[in-house]
């Protein structure tokens, strides 16, 4: 995450088009022949011999579907459902210099990950509940607040489709009973940890829920969070173009080449066949590197 390969790519002859959005690939005779889109507000066309789509687990299937490529594309979205809570401490413990903290509890992986989240004022404001005066009062004491998360492995499956006419991605996802149990158990475990660390109040992520003020308050949520009353978010999405040789289930072969097309590859988180239950970026990069090396080797 601290190094970019872009200067090396440009030195090797790559041309970078900034602020570009590719709308669709033009297909002809089982091949993609050009990409059409916009860059800095102007139409662009890119002509190529080989096309590698790396637009992420939502936009890659959306782009392929807009281009008429649909077999096993966008049918099996997996993700890590996450909930966030805001913990209030009696003493100041937050600082603008903290940035994105990397602390995590690994003990319950892959089923559950507990961790510390970005805790700037705007981010804390996102996850606070209650009347606006109450939220503003909390934010005035922002240095006593921290945002924390529970991420579950995710046992449901979702879909990515495109809106007819507009082409925007539409994502639907089931939060299963198992997910609701894992998230409830995770909130209880995270609450125990935070109260042990000195928290005096923890926000309740269930809509209309009363904040937790002691470990005994956590008992009700441990069996599971109620259906449809939780603000679930995610930053880890996968598996919308799963790789593999099974033509009935997979969108690409094991190296990312889209089944049924001669020169189109996918190379991003869409390829991961399942939800890993751990931070995905290193796996995404490792798979992408392996596939790029194989493609370069011909
Ligand atoms: C806030 C946040 C924090 C995260 N923290 C971590 C972490 O700490 N550890 C970890 O392991 N993972 C983390 N992740 C997850 C990680 O970033 C992703 O799993 C990873 O970036 C996925 O890589 P990708 O190549 O599939 O997609 P992306 O990295 O999303 O890249 C897709 C690119 O395609 C571009 N694009 C999309 N559509 C088009 C189009 N139509 N035309 C042109 N370009 C397009 C996008 O602008 C983007 O640059 C985090 C994610 C978020 C959002």
């Amino acid at each position: 995450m601290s190094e970019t390969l872009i200067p090396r790519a440009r030195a090797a002859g790559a041309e970078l088009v900034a602020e570009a959005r590719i709308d669709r690939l033009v297909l002809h005779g089982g091949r993609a022949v050009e990409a059409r889109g916009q860059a800095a507000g102007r139409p662009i066309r890119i002509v190529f011999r080989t096309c590698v789509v790396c637009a992420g687990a939502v936009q890659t299937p959306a782009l392929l579907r807009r281009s008429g490529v649909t077999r096993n594309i966008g049918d099996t979205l997996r993700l890590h459902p996450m909930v966030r809570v805001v913990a209030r401490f009696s003493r100041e413990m937050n600082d603008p210099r903290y940035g994105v903290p990397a602390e995590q509890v690994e003990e319950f992986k892959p089923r559950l990950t507990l961790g510390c989240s970005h805790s700037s004022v705007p981010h804390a404001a996102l996850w606070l509940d209650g009347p606006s005066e109450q939220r503003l009062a909390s934010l005035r004491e922002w240095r006593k607040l921290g945002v924390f998360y529970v991420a579950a492995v995710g046992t449901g499956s979702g879909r990515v489709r495109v809106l007819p006419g507009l082409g925007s991605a539409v994502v639907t996802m089931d939060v299963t009973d198992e997910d609701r149990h894992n998230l409830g158990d995770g909130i209880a475990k995270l609450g125990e940890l935070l109260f042990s660390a000195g928290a005096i109040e923890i926000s309740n992520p269930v809509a209309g829920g009363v904040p937790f003020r002691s470990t005994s308050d956590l008992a009700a949520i441990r069996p599971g969070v109620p259906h449809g009353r939780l603000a679930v978010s995610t930053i880890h999405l996968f598996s919308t173009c799963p790789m593999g040789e099974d033509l009935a289930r997979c969108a690409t072969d094991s190296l990312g080449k889209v089944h049924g097309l001669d020169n189109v590859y996918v190379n991003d988180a869409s390829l991961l066949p399942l939800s890993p239950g751990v931070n995905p970026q290193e796996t995404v990069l490792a798979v992408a590197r392996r596939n790029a090396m194989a493609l370069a080797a011909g």
Side-chain angles (χ1 to χ4, degrees), residues 20-22 54-57 59 66 235-236 268-269 279-281 284:
R21 181 188 193 273
I22 300 303
C54 323
Q59 297 303 333
R66 283 197 299 272
I235 55 172
H236 297 163
D268 59 24
N279 279 31
Q281 191 153 316
V284 173

Side-chain angles (χ1 to χ4, degrees), residues 65 68-75 240-242 246-252 258-260:
R65 291 190 75 90
V69 185
T70 56
R71 194 170 73 176
N72 300 328
I73 305 284
D75 297 343
T240 45
C241 305
D246 182 348
L247 293 182
R249 295 195 304 167
C250 300
T252 79
V258 176
H259 288 304

